[in-house]
Amino acid sequence: QAADSKREQFRQYLEKSGVLDMLTKVLVTLYEEPEKPDSALDFLKHHLGASAPENPELEALRLEVAETKEKYEAVLEENIKLKAKV
């Protein structure tokens, strides 16, 4: 009885958090694929957003983009100030 109660609580938790809905949608998408992929697991990972481990280069690129945005904002401000002087 206790095991059934725990299972039911866990099922409700998955349902409230949207996990069951998301899994159902991805499995339906896989079912409706005309040509089934070689790896169903890779298909699920891809559609659930966990297709690959984080690439170290990706973090470096994110940092570079953030720095470039800061420099861009500074240049825009400088441009506005210089235009005001002219």
Coordinates of all heavy atoms in Angstrom, one line a residue:
Q1 N 0.8 -1.2 0.0 CA 0.0 0.0 0.0 C 0.9 1.3 0.0 O 0.6 2.2 -0.7 CB -0.9 0.0 1.2 CG -2.0 1.1 1.2 CD -3.1 0.8 0.3 OE1 -3.2 -0.3 -0.2 NE2 -3.9 1.8 0.0
A2 N 1.9 1.3 0.8 CA 2.8 2.4 0.9 C 3.5 2.7 -0.4 O 3.7 3.8 -0.8 CB 3.8 2.2 2.0
A3 N 3.9 1.6 -1.1 CA 4.6 1.7 -2.4 C 3.7 2.3 -3.4 O 4.1 3.1 -4.2 CB 5.1 0.3 -2.8
D4 N 2.4 1.9 -3.4 CA 1.4 2.4 -4.3 C 1.2 3.9 -4.1 O 1.1 4.7 -5.0 CB 0.1 1.7 -4.2 CG 0.2 0.3 -4.8 OD1 1.1 0.0 -5.6 OD2 -0.7 -0.5 -4.5
S5 N 1.2 4.3 -2.8 CA 1.0 5.7 -2.5 C 2.2 6.5 -3.0 O 2.0 7.6 -3.5 CB 0.8 5.8 -1.0 OG 0.8 7.2 -0.6
K6 N 3.4 6.0 -2.8 CA 4.6 6.7 -3.2 C 4.6 6.9 -4.7 O 4.9 7.9 -5.3 CB 5.9 6.0 -2.8 CG 6.2 6.3 -1.4 CD 7.6 5.7 -1.0 CE 8.1 6.1 0.3 NZ 9.4 5.7 0.6
R7 N 4.2 5.8 -5.4 CA 4.1 5.8 -6.9 C 3.1 6.9 -7.4 O 3.4 7.6 -8.3 CB 3.7 4.5 -7.4 CG 4.9 3.7 -7.9 CD 4.5 2.4 -8.6 NE 5.2 1.3 -8.0 CZ 4.6 0.2 -7.6 NH1 3.4 -0.1 -7.9 NH2 5.3 -0.7 -7.0
E8 N 2.0 6.9 -6.7 CA 0.9 7.9 -7.1 C 1.4 9.3 -6.8 O 1.2 10.2 -7.6 CB -0.4 7.6 -6.3 CG -1.5 8.5 -6.7 CD -1.9 8.5 -8.1 OE1 -1.6 7.5 -8.9 OE2 -2.5 9.5 -8.6
Q9 N 2.1 9.5 -5.7 CA 2.6 10.9 -5.4 C 3.6 11.3 -6.5 O 3.7 12.4 -6.9 CB 3.2 10.9 -4.0 CG 2.2 10.9 -2.9 CD 2.9 10.8 -1.5 OE1 4.1 10.6 -1.4 NE2 2.2 11.0 -0.5
F10 N 4.5 10.3 -6.8 CA 5.5 10.6 -7.8 C 4.9 10.9 -9.2 O 5.3 11.8 -9.9 CB 6.5 9.4 -8.0 CG 7.6 9.7 -8.9 CD1 8.6 10.7 -8.6 CD2 7.8 9.0 -10.0 CE1 9.6 11.0 -9.4 CE2 8.9 9.3 -10.9 CZ 9.8 10.2 -10.6
R11 N 3.8 10.1 -9.6 CA 3.1 10.4 -10.8 C 2.5 11.8 -10.8 O 2.6 12.5 -11.8 CB 2.1 9.3 -11.0 CG 1.4 9.4 -12.4 CD 0.1 8.6 -12.5 NE -0.9 9.1 -11.6 CZ -1.6 10.3 -11.8 NH1 -1.4 11.0 -12.9 NH2 -2.6 10.6 -11.0
Q12 N 1.9 12.1 -9.7 CA 1.3 13.5 -9.6 C 2.3 14.6 -9.7 O 2.1 15.6 -10.3 CB 0.5 13.6 -8.3 CG -0.8 12.8 -8.3 CD -1.5 12.8 -6.9 OE1 -0.9 13.4 -5.9 NE2 -2.7 12.3 -6.8
Y13 N 3.5 14.3 -9.1 CA 4.6 15.3 -9.2 C 5.0 15.5 -10.6 O 5.2 16.6 -11.1 CB 5.8 14.8 -8.3 CG 7.1 15.4 -8.6 CD1 7.4 16.7 -8.3 CD2 8.1 14.7 -9.3 CE1 8.6 17.3 -8.5 CE2 9.3 15.3 -9.6 CZ 9.6 16.6 -9.2 OH 10.8 17.1 -9.5
L14 N 5.2 14.4 -11.4 CA 5.6 14.4 -12.8 C 4.5 15.1 -13.6 O 4.8 15.9 -14.5 CB 5.8 13.0 -13.3 CG 7.1 12.3 -12.8 CD1 7.1 10.9 -13.3 CD2 8.3 13.1 -13.0
E15 N 3.3 14.9 -13.3 CA 2.2 15.5 -14.0 C 2.1 17.0 -13.7 O 2.0 17.8 -14.7 CB 0.8 14.9 -13.6 CG -0.3 15.3 -14.5 CD -1.6 14.5 -14.2 OE1 -1.5 13.4 -13.7 OE2 -2.6 15.1 -14.5
K16 N 2.3 17.4 -12.5 CA 2.2 18.9 -12.1 C 3.4 19.6 -12.7 O 3.3 20.8 -13.1 CB 2.2 19.0 -10.6 CG 0.9 18.7 -9.9 CD 1.0 18.9 -8.4 CE -0.2 18.5 -7.7 NZ -0.1 18.6 -6.3
S17 N 4.5 19.0 -12.8 CA 5.7 19.7 -13.3 C 5.8 19.7 -14.8 O 6.7 20.3 -15.4 CB 7.0 19.0 -12.7 OG 7.1 17.7 -13.1
G18 N 4.9 19.0 -15.5 CA 4.8 19.0 -16.9 C 5.7 18.0 -17.6 O 5.7 17.9 -18.9
V19 N 6.3 17.1 -16.8 CA 7.2 16.1 -17.4 C 6.4 15.1 -18.2 O 6.8 14.7 -19.3 CB 8.0 15.4 -16.3 CG1 8.7 14.2 -16.8 CG2 8.9 16.3 -15.6
L20 N 5.3 14.6 -17.7 CA 4.5 13.6 -18.4 C 4.0 14.2 -19.7 O 4.0 13.5 -20.8 CB 3.3 13.2 -17.6 CG 3.6 12.3 -16.4 CD1 2.3 11.9 -15.6 CD2 4.4 11.1 -16.8
D21 N 3.5 15.4 -19.7 CA 3.0 16.1 -21.0 C 4.2 16.2 -22.0 O 4.0 15.8 -23.2 CB 2.5 17.4 -20.6 CG 1.8 18.1 -21.8 OD1 1.0 17.4 -22.5 OD2 2.1 19.3 -22.1
M22 N 5.4 16.6 -21.5 CA 6.5 16.8 -22.5 C 6.9 15.4 -23.0 O 7.1 15.3 -24.2 CB 7.7 17.4 -21.7 CG 8.9 17.6 -22.6 SD 8.6 18.7 -24.0 CE 8.6 20.2 -23.2
L23 N 7.0 14.4 -22.2 CA 7.4 13.1 -22.6 C 6.4 12.5 -23.6 O 6.7 12.0 -24.7 CB 7.5 12.1 -21.5 CG 8.8 12.2 -20.7 CD1 8.7 11.3 -19.4 CD2 10.0 11.9 -21.5
T24 N 5.1 12.7 -23.3 CA 4.0 12.3 -24.2 C 4.2 12.9 -25.6 O 4.1 12.3 -26.6 CB 2.7 12.6 -23.6 OG1 2.6 11.9 -22.4 CG2 1.5 12.1 -24.6
K25 N 4.4 14.3 -25.6 CA 4.5 15.0 -26.9 C 5.7 14.5 -27.7 O 5.6 14.3 -28.9 CB 4.7 16.5 -26.6 CG 3.4 17.1 -26.2 CD 3.6 18.6 -25.9 CE 2.3 19.3 -25.4 NZ 2.5 20.7 -25.1
V26 N 6.8 14.3 -27.0 CA 8.0 13.8 -27.7 C 7.8 12.4 -28.3 O 8.2 12.1 -29.4 CB 9.3 13.9 -26.8 CG1 10.5 13.2 -27.5 CG2 9.6 15.3 -26.5
L27 N 7.2 11.5 -27.5 CA 7.0 10.2 -27.9 C 6.0 10.1 -29.1 O 6.1 9.3 -30.0 CB 6.5 9.3 -26.7 CG 7.5 9.0 -25.7 CD1 6.9 8.3 -24.5 CD2 8.7 8.2 -26.3
V28 N 5.0 11.0 -29.0 CA 4.0 11.1 -30.2 C 4.8 11.5 -31.4 O 4.5 11.0 -32.5 CB 2.8 12.0 -29.8 CG1 2.0 12.3 -31.0 CG2 1.9 11.3 -28.8
T29 N 5.6 12.5 -31.3 CA 6.4 13.0 -32.4 C 7.3 11.9 -33.0 O 7.3 11.7 -34.2 CB 7.4 14.2 -32.0 OG1 6.6 15.2 -31.4 CG2 8.2 14.7 -33.1
L30 N 7.9 11.1 -32.1 CA 8.7 9.9 -32.6 C 7.8 8.9 -33.3 O 8.1 8.4 -34.4 CB 9.4 9.3 -31.4 CG 10.2 8.0 -31.7 CD1 11.3 8.3 -32.8 CD2 10.8 7.5 -30.4
Y31 N 6.6 8.7 -32.7 CA 5.7 7.7 -33.3 C 5.2 8.2 -34.7 O 5.1 7.3 -35.6 CB 4.4 7.6 -32.4 CG 3.4 6.7 -32.9 CD1 3.5 5.3 -32.9 CD2 2.2 7.3 -33.5 CE1 2.5 4.5 -33.4 CE2 1.2 6.5 -34.1 CZ 1.3 5.1 -34.0 OH 0.4 4.3 -34.5
E32 N 5.1 9.5 -34.9 CA 4.6 10.0 -36.2 C 5.7 10.2 -37.2 O 5.4 10.5 -38.3 CB 3.8 11.3 -35.9 CG 2.5 11.1 -35.1 CD 1.8 12.4 -34.8 OE1 2.5 13.5 -34.8 OE2 0.7 12.4 -34.4
E33 N 6.9 10.0 -36.8 CA 8.0 10.1 -37.8 C 7.8 9.0 -38.9 O 7.7 7.8 -38.5 CB 9.4 9.9 -37.1 CG 9.9 11.0 -36.4 CD 10.4 12.1 -37.3 OE1 11.2 11.9 -38.2 OE2 9.9 13.3 -37.1
P34 N 7.8 9.4 -40.1 CA 7.7 8.4 -41.2 C 8.9 7.5 -41.3 O 8.7 6.3 -41.5 CB 7.6 9.3 -42.5 CG 7.9 10.7 -42.1 CD 7.9 10.8 -40.6
E35 N 10.1 8.0 -41.1 CA 11.3 7.2 -41.0 C 11.8 7.2 -39.6 O 12.3 8.3 -39.2 CB 12.3 7.7 -42.0 CG 11.9 7.4 -43.5 CD 13.0 7.7 -44.4 OE1 14.2 7.5 -44.1 OE2 12.7 8.1 -45.6
K36 N 11.8 6.1 -38.9 CA 12.2 6.1 -37.6 C 13.7 6.3 -37.5 O 14.5 5.8 -38.3 CB 11.9 4.8 -36.9 CG 10.4 4.4 -36.9 CD 9.6 5.5 -36.1 CE 8.1 5.1 -36.1 NZ 7.3 6.1 -36.7
P37 N 14.2 7.1 -36.6 CA 15.7 7.4 -36.4 C 16.4 6.1 -36.0 O 15.8 5.2 -35.4 CB 15.8 8.5 -35.4 CG 14.5 8.4 -34.6 CD 13.5 7.9 -35.6
D38 N 17.7 6.0 -36.3 CA 18.5 4.9 -35.8 C 18.5 4.7 -34.3 O 18.4 3.7 -33.8 CB 19.9 5.0 -36.4 CG 20.0 4.8 -37.9 OD1 19.1 4.2 -38.5 OD2 20.9 5.4 -38.5
S39 N 18.6 5.9 -33.7 CA 18.6 5.9 -32.2 C 17.4 6.6 -31.6 O 17.4 7.9 -31.7 CB 19.9 6.5 -31.7 OG 19.9 6.7 -30.3
A40 N 16.5 5.9 -31.1 CA 15.3 6.6 -30.4 C 15.8 7.4 -29.2 O 15.2 8.5 -29.0 CB 14.3 5.5 -30.0
L41 N 16.8 6.9 -28.5 CA 17.3 7.7 -27.4 C 17.9 9.0 -27.8 O 17.6 10.0 -27.2 CB 18.4 6.8 -26.6 CG 18.9 7.4 -25.3 CD1 17.8 7.7 -24.4 CD2 19.9 6.5 -24.7
D42 N 18.7 9.1 -28.9 CA 19.2 10.3 -29.4 C 18.1 11.3 -29.8 O 18.1 12.5 -29.6 CB 20.2 10.1 -30.5 CG 21.5 9.5 -30.1 OD1 21.8 9.6 -28.9 OD2 22.2 9.0 -30.9
F43 N 17.0 10.7 -30.4 CA 15.9 11.5 -30.8 C 15.2 12.1 -29.6 O 14.9 13.3 -29.6 CB 14.8 10.6 -31.5 CG 13.6 11.3 -32.0 CD1 13.6 11.8 -33.3 CD2 12.5 11.4 -31.2 CE1 12.4 12.5 -33.7 CE2 11.3 12.0 -31.6 CZ 11.3 12.6 -32.9
L44 N 15.0 11.4 -28.5 CA 14.4 11.9 -27.3 C 15.3 13.0 -26.7 O 14.9 14.0 -26.3 CB 14.2 10.8 -26.3 CG 13.1 9.7 -26.7 CD1 13.1 8.6 -25.6 CD2 11.8 10.4 -26.8
K45 N 16.6 12.7 -26.6 CA 17.6 13.7 -26.1 C 17.5 15.0 -26.8 O 17.5 16.1 -26.3 CB 19.0 13.1 -26.1 CG 19.2 12.1 -25.0 CD 20.7 11.6 -25.1 CE 21.0 10.5 -24.1 NZ 22.4 10.0 -24.3
H46 N 17.5 14.9 -28.2 CA 17.5 16.1 -29.0 C 16.2 16.9 -28.8 O 16.2 18.1 -28.6 CB 17.6 15.7 -30.5 CG 17.5 16.8 -31.4 ND1 18.4 17.8 -31.6 CD2 16.4 17.2 -32.2 CE1 18.0 18.7 -32.4 NE2 16.8 18.4 -32.8
H47 N 15.1 16.2 -28.7 CA 13.8 16.9 -28.6 C 13.5 17.3 -27.2 O 12.6 18.2 -26.9 CB 12.7 16.0 -29.1 CG 12.6 16.0 -30.6 ND1 13.4 15.2 -31.4 CD2 11.9 16.8 -31.5 CE1 13.2 15.5 -32.7 NE2 12.2 16.4 -32.7
L48 N 14.2 16.8 -26.2 CA 14.1 17.3 -24.8 C 15.1 18.3 -24.4 O 15.2 18.8 -23.3 CB 14.1 16.1 -23.9 CG 12.9 15.1 -23.9 CD1 13.2 13.9 -23.1 CD2 11.7 15.8 -23.5
G49 N 16.0 18.6 -25.4 CA 17.0 19.7 -25.2 C 18.3 19.2 -24.5 O 19.1 20.1 -24.1
A50 N 18.5 17.9 -24.5 CA 19.8 17.5 -23.9 C 20.6 16.7 -24.9 O 21.1 15.6 -24.7 CB 19.5 16.6 -22.7
S51 N 20.7 17.3 -26.1 CA 21.3 16.6 -27.2 C 22.8 16.3 -27.1 O 23.3 15.4 -27.6 CB 21.0 17.3 -28.5 OG 21.5 18.6 -28.5
A52 N 23.5 17.2 -26.4 CA 24.9 17.0 -26.3 C 25.4 17.7 -25.0 O 24.8 18.7 -24.5 CB 25.6 17.7 -27.5
P53 N 26.5 17.2 -24.5 CA 27.1 17.8 -23.3 C 27.6 19.2 -23.7 O 27.8 19.5 -24.8 CB 28.2 16.9 -22.9 CG 28.5 16.0 -24.0 CD 27.2 16.0 -24.9
E54 N 27.6 20.1 -22.7 CA 28.1 21.5 -22.9 C 29.5 21.5 -23.5 O 30.4 20.9 -23.0 CB 28.0 22.3 -21.6 CG 28.1 23.7 -21.8 CD 26.9 24.4 -22.4 OE1 25.9 23.8 -22.6 OE2 27.1 25.5 -22.9
N55 N 29.6 22.2 -24.6 CA 30.9 22.3 -25.3 C 31.7 23.5 -24.6 O 31.1 24.6 -24.5 CB 30.6 22.7 -26.7 CG 31.9 22.7 -27.6 OD1 33.0 22.9 -27.1 ND2 31.7 22.6 -28.9
P56 N 32.9 23.2 -24.2 CA 33.7 24.3 -23.5 C 33.8 25.5 -24.4 O 33.9 26.7 -23.9 CB 35.1 23.7 -23.3 CG 34.9 22.2 -23.5 CD 33.7 22.0 -24.3
E57 N 33.9 25.3 -25.7 CA 34.0 26.5 -26.6 C 32.8 27.3 -26.6 O 32.8 28.5 -26.8 CB 34.3 26.0 -28.1 CG 35.7 25.4 -28.3 CD 35.9 25.0 -29.7 OE1 35.1 25.5 -30.6 OE2 36.8 24.2 -29.9
L58 N 31.6 26.7 -26.4 CA 30.4 27.4 -26.3 C 30.4 28.5 -25.2 O 29.9 29.6 -25.4 CB 29.2 26.4 -26.2 CG 27.8 26.9 -26.4 CD1 27.7 27.5 -27.8 CD2 26.8 25.8 -26.3
E59 N 30.9 28.1 -24.1 CA 30.9 29.0 -22.9 C 31.8 30.2 -23.2 O 31.5 31.3 -22.9 CB 31.3 28.3 -21.6 CG 31.3 29.2 -20.4 CD 29.9 29.8 -20.2 OE1 28.9 29.1 -20.4 OE2 29.9 31.0 -19.7
A60 N 33.0 29.9 -23.9 CA 33.9 31.0 -24.3 C 33.2 31.9 -25.3 O 33.4 33.1 -25.2 CB 35.2 30.4 -24.9
L61 N 32.5 31.4 -26.2 CA 31.8 32.2 -27.2 C 30.7 33.1 -26.5 O 30.5 34.2 -26.9 CB 31.2 31.4 -28.3 CG 32.1 30.7 -29.2 CD1 31.4 29.7 -30.2 CD2 32.9 31.8 -30.1
R62 N 30.0 32.5 -25.5 CA 29.0 33.3 -24.8 C 29.6 34.5 -24.1 O 29.1 35.6 -24.1 CB 28.3 32.4 -23.8 CG 27.2 31.5 -24.4 CD 26.4 30.8 -23.3 NE 25.5 29.9 -24.0 CZ 25.4 28.6 -23.7 NH1 26.3 28.0 -22.9 NH2 24.5 27.8 -24.4
L63 N 30.8 34.2 -23.5 CA 31.5 35.2 -22.8 C 31.9 36.3 -23.7 O 31.8 37.5 -23.5 CB 32.7 34.6 -22.0 CG 33.5 35.6 -21.2 CD1 32.7 36.2 -20.1 CD2 34.7 34.8 -20.6
E64 N 32.5 35.9 -24.9 CA 32.9 36.9 -25.9 C 31.7 37.7 -26.4 O 31.9 38.9 -26.6 CB 33.5 36.1 -27.1 CG 34.1 37.0 -28.1 CD 34.8 36.2 -29.3 OE1 35.1 35.0 -29.1 OE2 35.0 36.8 -30.3
V65 N 30.6 37.1 -26.6 CA 29.4 37.9 -27.0 C 29.0 38.9 -26.0 O 28.7 40.1 -26.3 CB 28.2 36.9 -27.3 CG1 26.9 37.7 -27.5 CG2 28.5 36.1 -28.6
A66 N 29.0 38.5 -24.7 CA 28.7 39.4 -23.6 C 29.6 40.6 -23.6 O 29.2 41.8 -23.5 CB 28.7 38.7 -22.3
E67 N 30.9 40.3 -23.7 CA 31.9 41.4 -23.7 C 31.7 42.3 -24.9 O 31.9 43.5 -24.8 CB 33.3 40.8 -23.7 CG 33.7 40.1 -22.4 CD 35.0 39.3 -22.5 OE1 35.6 39.3 -23.6 OE2 35.4 38.8 -21.5
T68 N 31.5 41.7 -26.1 CA 31.3 42.5 -27.3 C 30.0 43.4 -27.2 O 30.1 44.6 -27.6 CB 31.1 41.6 -28.5 OG1 32.3 40.8 -28.6 CG2 31.0 42.4 -29.8
K69 N 29.0 42.9 -26.5 CA 27.8 43.7 -26.3 C 28.1 44.9 -25.4 O 27.7 46.0 -25.7 CB 26.7 42.9 -25.7 CG 26.0 42.0 -26.7 CD 24.9 41.2 -26.0 CE 24.1 40.3 -26.9 NZ 23.1 39.6 -26.3
E70 N 28.9 44.7 -24.4 CA 29.3 45.8 -23.5 C 30.1 46.8 -24.2 O 29.8 48.1 -24.1 CB 30.1 45.3 -22.3 CG 29.3 44.5 -21.3 CD 30.2 44.0 -20.2 OE1 31.3 44.5 -19.9 OE2 29.8 43.0 -19.5
K71 N 31.0 46.4 -25.1 CA 31.8 47.3 -25.8 C 31.0 48.1 -26.8 O 31.1 49.3 -27.0 CB 32.9 46.6 -26.6 CG 34.0 46.1 -25.7 CD 35.1 45.3 -26.5 CE 36.1 44.7 -25.6 NZ 37.1 43.9 -26.4
Y72 N 30.0 47.4 -27.4 CA 29.1 48.1 -28.4 C 28.3 49.2 -27.7 O 28.1 50.3 -28.2 CB 28.2 47.0 -29.0 CG 27.0 47.6 -29.8 CD1 27.3 48.1 -31.1 CD2 25.7 47.6 -29.3 CE1 26.2 48.6 -31.8 CE2 24.7 48.1 -30.1 CZ 24.9 48.6 -31.3 OH 23.9 49.1 -32.1
E73 N 27.8 48.9 -26.5 CA 27.0 49.9 -25.7 C 27.9 51.1 -25.4 O 27.4 52.2 -25.5 CB 26.4 49.3 -24.4 CG 25.4 48.2 -24.7 CD 24.1 48.7 -25.4 OE1 23.8 49.9 -25.1 OE2 23.5 47.9 -26.2
A74 N 29.1 50.8 -25.0 CA 30.0 51.9 -24.7 C 30.3 52.8 -25.9 O 30.3 54.0 -25.8 CB 31.3 51.4 -24.1
V75 N 30.5 52.2 -27.1 CA 30.7 52.9 -28.3 C 29.5 53.7 -28.7 O 29.6 54.9 -29.1 CB 31.2 52.0 -29.4 CG1 31.1 52.6 -30.8 CG2 32.5 51.4 -29.2
L76 N 28.3 53.2 -28.5 CA 27.1 53.9 -28.8 C 27.0 55.2 -27.9 O 26.7 56.2 -28.4 CB 25.9 53.0 -28.6 CG 25.5 52.1 -29.7 CD1 24.2 51.3 -29.3 CD2 25.3 52.8 -31.0
E77 N 27.3 55.0 -26.6 CA 27.2 56.2 -25.7 C 28.2 57.2 -26.1 O 27.9 58.4 -26.2 CB 27.5 55.7 -24.3 CG 26.4 55.0 -23.6 CD 26.7 54.7 -22.2 OE1 27.3 55.5 -21.5 OE2 26.3 53.6 -21.7
E78 N 29.5 56.8 -26.5 CA 30.5 57.7 -26.9 C 30.0 58.4 -28.2 O 30.2 59.7 -28.3 CB 31.8 57.0 -27.1 CG 32.9 57.9 -27.5 CD 34.2 57.1 -27.8 OE1 34.2 55.9 -27.8 OE2 35.2 57.8 -28.1
N79 N 29.4 57.7 -29.1 CA 29.0 58.3 -30.3 C 27.9 59.4 -30.1 O 28.0 60.4 -30.7 CB 28.4 57.2 -31.2 CG 28.1 57.6 -32.6 OD1 28.2 58.8 -32.9 ND2 27.6 56.7 -33.4
I80 N 27.0 59.1 -29.2 CA 26.0 60.1 -28.8 C 26.6 61.3 -28.2 O 26.2 62.4 -28.6 CB 24.9 59.4 -27.8 CG1 24.1 58.4 -28.6 CG2 24.0 60.5 -27.2 CD1 23.2 57.5 -27.7
K81 N 27.6 61.2 -27.3 CA 28.2 62.3 -26.7 C 29.0 63.1 -27.8 O 28.9 64.4 -27.7 CB 29.2 61.8 -25.6 CG 28.5 61.3 -24.4 CD 29.5 60.8 -23.4 CE 28.7 60.2 -22.2 NZ 29.7 59.5 -21.3
L82 N 29.7 62.4 -28.7 CA 30.4 63.2 -29.7 C 29.5 63.9 -30.7 O 29.8 65.0 -31.1 CB 31.3 62.2 -30.5 CG 32.5 61.6 -29.7 CD1 33.2 60.5 -30.5 CD2 33.5 62.7 -29.3
K83 N 28.4 63.3 -31.0 CA 27.4 64.0 -31.9 C 26.9 65.2 -31.2 O 26.6 66.2 -31.8 CB 26.2 63.0 -32.2 CG 26.6 62.0 -33.3 CD 25.4 61.2 -33.6 CE 25.7 60.2 -34.7 NZ 24.6 59.3 -35.1
A84 N 26.7 65.2 -29.9 CA 26.2 66.3 -29.1 C 27.2 67.5 -29.2 O 26.8 68.6 -29.2 CB 25.8 65.9 -27.7
K85 N 28.4 67.1 -29.2 CA 29.5 68.2 -29.2 C 29.5 68.9 -30.6 O 30.0 70.0 -30.6 CB 30.8 67.6 -28.9 CG 31.0 67.2 -27.4 CD 32.4 66.7 -27.2 CE 32.7 66.4 -25.7 NZ 34.0 65.9 -25.5
V86 N 29.2 68.2 -31.6 CA 29.3 68.7 -33.0 C 28.3 69.7 -33.3 O 27.3 70.1 -32.9 CB 29.3 67.6 -34.0 CG1 29.3 68.2 -35.4 CG2 30.5 66.7 -33.8

